[in-house]
């Protein structure tokens, strides 16, 4: 049961059910338990949600995922090229840098849409 006096929690999870990746199970359980404790949650994920999509799940597709998986040979955008160089020389792993920028924009929008959910820190 969601309690109105509890702050909204935004969970950022690249993988999230119904995606089959094992990395999506942990954030799914975290959200489940937070909601049981009364915290309203929003999830931002790169995994496409099932139809119909739950209202608390926001899908932000990683437009470069097919390139990094080498399932596409399309030319990269300028931002994609910057991310490719950063991945090659600075961060040799799967870091969705351009995806993260879009997620940050969505988080700021959620915060603006729900100004009463902020905690007053004194």
């Amino acid at each position: 049961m969601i309690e109105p006096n509890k702050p909204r929690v935004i969970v950022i999870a690249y993988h999230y059910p119904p995606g089959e990746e094992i990395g999506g199970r942990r954030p799914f359980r975290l959200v489940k338990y937070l909601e049981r404790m009364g915290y309203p949650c929003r999830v931002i994920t790169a995994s496409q949600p099932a139809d119909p999509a739950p209202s608390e799940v926001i899908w932000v597709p990683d437009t470069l995922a097919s390139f990094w998986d080498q399932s596409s040979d399309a030319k990269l955008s300028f931002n994609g090229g910057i991310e490719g160089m950063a991945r090659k020389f600075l961060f040799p792993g799967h870091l969705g840098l351009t995806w993260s920028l879009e997620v940050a924009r969505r988080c700021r929008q959620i915060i603006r849409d729900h100004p009463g959910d902020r905690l007053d820190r004194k």
Side-chain angles (χ1 to χ4, degrees):
M1 177 177 213
I2 304 298
E3 296 178 22
N5 59 344
K6 298 234 176 158
R8 182 174 309 274
V9 177
I10 301 173
V11 177
I12 300 169
Y14 192 86
H15 299 295
Y16 196 77
E20 296 295 322
E21 299 86 7
I22 195 148
R25 294 180 185 171
R26 186 169 288 153
F28 177 76
R29 287 192 299 265
L30 174 66
V31 168
K32 180 175 73 171
Y33 294 124
L34 284 171
E35 287 180 341
R36 282 185 186 172
M37 293 183 335
Y39 291 91
C41 296
R42 290 286 180 125
V43 177
I44 301 177
T45 182
S47 298
Q48 186 170 4
D51 272 344
S55 62
E56 70 274 359
V57 177
I58 300 170
W59 177 43
V60 178
D62 186 356
T63 56
L64 299 175
S66 62
F67 181 80
W68 305 127
D69 295 339
Q70 292 153 351
S71 59
S72 172
D73 56 353
K75 188 173 179 176
L76 284 176
S77 65
F78 178 75
N79 288 343
I82 296 289
E83 181 171 338
M85 287 177 34
R87 284 189 185 195
K88 183 172 185 175
F89 297 110
L90 301 174
F91 309 109
H94 283 281
L95 296 174
L97 299 175
T98 55
W99 180 79
S100 299
L101 293 173
E102 178 61 22
V103 168
R105 189 183 72 73
R106 296 285 179 103
C107 288
R108 286 190 301 271
Q109 185 62 46
I110 291 170
I111 292 168
R112 278 192 300 271
D113 290 346
H114 303 280
D117 290 351
R118 295 184 186 162
L119 288 176
D120 291 329
R121 300 192 193 276
K122 295 181 181 178

